[in-house]
Amino acid sequence: MTDTYTALVSRGWGRDVAKRLGLPQPVPLRRHDPAAPLLPGPALVIGEGASTEQLVSALEGWGVEVRRDAEAFAQSSRTEANGSGPRRLGAIVLMLDGVQHPRDLAGPVLAAGKALRSLAPCARVVTVSRRASVQDEPAVAAARQGVDGLLRSLAKELRAGATGNGVLLAEGVSADAPSVLGALRFLLSGRSAFVDGQFLTVGTAGGSLPADAERPLEGKVAVVTGAARGIGSSIARTLARDGARVVVVDVPAAGESLARVANDIHGTALQLDITKPDAGERILTHALSRHGGLDIVVHNAGITRDKLLANMDAARWDSVIAVNIAAQLQINEALLASDRFGEGARIISVASTSGIAGNRGQTNYAASKAGVIGMVRSTAARLASRGGTANAVAPGFIETEMTAKIPFATREIARRLNSLQQGGQPQDVAEAIAFLASDAAGGISGGVLRVCGQNMVGQ
Ligand code: NAI
């Protein structure tokens, strides 16, 4: 699925015309490239204290050149300027974990502001702060919650494919916990290209960092439903790229394309309608007999049957609920009842921004996708004792066959209505899922990660 407009305005005369007319100027995003460094330039780390030092040494361990002084960077980038222009920052990491009062935000935040003009295209701004809780003193809660508002606003001010996201630490989780470092690395990398204006909450000190950052799923067995095409096929390919052995599931009618995906990734195919009462057992039996285990389940299969509620019939309502949520509940029940699934397991469900903000004509779909968000919260609690996690990923506008069918004018508006002014790629959803499936995300559970380019609708 191509976005001709983005290609047109990202270079030459197209860029000049768009600039002069004040039209949206999306740029091609920086996506994962194993040959490229983690960042397109040095990282400016703003903050003090032991937790800042922990992050600095992690960044240096990842081969990132770290700068600590915004003013000094501005000066050195001017003197370093050679034929290719001044050096630009690949990221700003803003440590705000110690704020006790909203007044404490000014120093670090304004220092970050001064460095924003030095950001490279597709750079990253990442805040690291503590989650506000009801146990906090009011001033502490105000300061911590303040980070939410400032980060989401800052993300809307960034240009040229740069994004702003945050890592939230629960009480007792230190800045060098594996999932804090895992989340930070994901948010800095090209894997988070279409994640913007979002927070990843690290609730526990669990998780572990992979020995090989390019193969974080080595030795894992994953199942992906609805994998014959679209986002599901991309998820299957990405999990395989990251080292997992993958079972791809789809309806028998999609058998041919399903087999192609399975062959491409050296996985196995299971033709199955996920609404069948024995779907969970069949998935488990297949994974155990063909691969000897099951570690990761990605509930991706989904359908839409849009109608205004005034015109909605029972068939449309029921089919969407059956595929998008009831099947997931039933499969999870079957898996959790088995002692062959659960130890360190990962369940990741594909929700939708429609399930968060609502969407005209989608009462059935939004009920099912909001249901997914409720389901993972509750399932997370059940998996916690076995070291497992459950999370949802909520895509916004993604360039797929589904969205290609939207009439041109509506589609053009829908794909530009986010901070990155373009639709995401199936790959972007897949990367977020691959991260949540990894051991590094072991401390992240029960949440929703939006992959929507900071869509203007919803929170
Ligand atoms: P798609 O329609 O291209 O692919 C869905 C796949 O699920 C198909 O291969 C289909 O055969 C399979 N499937 C449907 N019912 C099934 C069943 N009963 N049993 C087994 N497989 C079944 O859809 P797309 O765009 O790739 O979406 C994937 C997921 O992402 C869905 O859950 C969708 O709701 C969600 N999503 C998509 C967005 C987009 O912009 N494309 C935005 C937000 C969420």
Side-chain angles (χ1 to χ4, degrees), residues 58 62 176-183 185 206-213 216 435 439-441:
W62 299 332
D176 64 347
S179 291
V180 176
L181 299 181
R185 190 179 169 118
S208 59
L209 293 174
D212 178 353
F435 165 64
D439 285 343

Side-chain angles (χ1 to χ4, degrees), residues 370-392:
V372 161
I373 293 169
M375 178 192 72
V376 297
R377 205 180 297 136
S378 153
T379 308
R382 291 177 62 185
L383 274 170
S385 60
R386 306 194 215 176
T389 68
N391 288 288

Side-chain angles (χ1 to χ4, degrees), residues 351-352 354-356 365-375:
S352 165
S354 292
I356 297 170
Y365 183 74
S368 72
K369 294 298 189 180
V372 161
I373 293 169
M375 178 192 72

Side-chain angles (χ1 to χ4, degrees), residues 45 55 60 108 113 122 131 162 171-172 198 262 284 288 308 310 315 320 336 376 395 398 401 410 419 422 430 434 456:
V45 179
L55 288 198
E60 287 174 342
C122 299
R131 180 175 62 181
E171 220 47 68
Q198 306 305 311
L284 190 60
L288 292 178
L308 295 177
V320 166
L336 289 168
V376 297
I398 305 296
E401 286 177 44
T410 317
S419 295
Q422 60 193 287
M456 299 302 167

Side-chain angles (χ1 to χ4, degrees), residues 259-271:
R260 251 195 316 274
V261 176
N263 284 342
D264 287 353
I265 62 172
H266 307 293
T268 56
L270 173 62
Q271 293 186 12

Side-chain angles (χ1 to χ4, degrees), residues 226 229 231 250 272-274 300 302 350-351 365 369 395-396 398 400 403:
R229 65 177 206 186
I231 295 173
D250 212 300
L272 172 71
D273 179 340
I274 56 161
N300 162 76
V350 180
Y365 183 74
K369 294 298 189 180
I398 305 296
T400 62
T403 50

